[in-house]
Amino acid sequence: VLIVSDIHHAGPAEQARRGYELACAPNWPVRQLIALYRGYYWLRDPLGNGRFLDTFLQRAGSADFVIANGDYSADSAFIGVADDAACASAQACLEKLRGRFGDRLHATIGDHELGKTSLVGGLGGLRLASWDRTVNDLGLRPFWQFTWGRYVFLGVTSTLLALPLLLREAPAREHAEWEALRAEHLAALRAAFAGLHPDQRVLLFC
């Protein structure tokens, strides 16, 4: 089993947004804090991850199953793949993965597919338009399951499971539909656990 997670691929349109995080900062001190954070703590270049995906694809070798664990774009507009540039990045990323691994690939939905509020400035957040594109345009399944011997692989959508914490990031007019999606997701997950046999073991990807 191969696992690849949080690829955050940035295609050409997202690459053109260098400095997108600094643009969210409300003042000079916050811009300095972001620069320090990126420069010394986490991801010096958040739009420069493409080479890591290519290296993974070159070094991966063969595998029975490949799990891609979400976040296929840089989400540089903070509204998920409702943003055309982020959608193009995610599409390019998934095309590479699917081209390399075919039907051995099982991909979860990450929070950045659906939108996530900016690190500073409070921009963006969950968008139902991103859910629609994620499921229909990118072809990602909110819940998936398969069995290999005594092991049951389950893929879930973290945003739906953690929705009580994240719903404040969505427009109020979308809350009811997000709640309905969560209820449907929980029902599928409960049914999967209810159907387990005593000797089976679960590998949960979130």
Side-chain angles (χ1 to χ4, degrees), residues 33-45:
L33 287 173
I34 291 176
L36 287 170
Y37 177 75
R38 287 302 186 194
Y40 297 98
Y41 182 68
W42 184 251
L43 284 181
R44 183 181 298 271
D45 181 10

Side-chain angles (χ1 to χ4, degrees), residues 8-113:
H8 291 292
H9 176 69
E14 288 202 285
Q15 289 280 351
R17 292 175 174 169
R18 293 197 174 276
Y20 69 100
E21 287 182 313
L22 292 174
C24 300
N27 52 50
W28 182 86
V30 174
R31 286 194 292 275
Q32 297 308 301
L33 287 173
I34 291 176
L36 287 170
Y37 177 75
R38 287 302 186 194
Y40 297 98
Y41 182 68
W42 184 251
L43 284 181
R44 183 181 298 271
D45 181 10
L47 297 177
N49 294 322
R51 67 187 188 278
F52 298 118
L53 172 61
D54 292 336
T55 299
F56 168 75
L57 294 173
Q58 292 166 5
R59 297 175 57 184
S62 60
D64 295 295
F65 309 110
V66 181
I67 311 297
N69 219 20
D71 291 356
Y72 307 104
S73 81
D75 190 19
S76 55
F78 312 108
I79 58 170
V81 296
D83 170 54
D84 290 340
C87 191
S89 296
Q91 189 71 63
C93 177
L94 288 165
E95 283 177 358
K96 286 188 175 186
L97 291 168
R98 288 165 174 157
R100 176 71 170 77
F101 301 114
D103 59 7
R104 292 175 294 158
L105 178 71
H106 301 270
T108 66
I109 295 173
D111 54 356
H112 283 278
E113 272 70 76

Side-chain angles (χ1 to χ4, degrees), residues 155-168:
V156 299
T157 300
S158 60
T159 297
L160 293 181
L161 296 181
L163 190 64
L165 297 175
L166 301 173
L167 194 58
R168 65 182 182 274

Side-chain angles (χ1 to χ4, degrees), residues 162-181:
L163 190 64
L165 297 175
L166 301 173
L167 194 58
R168 65 182 182 274
E169 297 187 12
R173 65 183 180 278
E174 296 185 355
H175 285 192
E177 193 163 347
W178 279 113
E179 293 281 12
L181 289 169

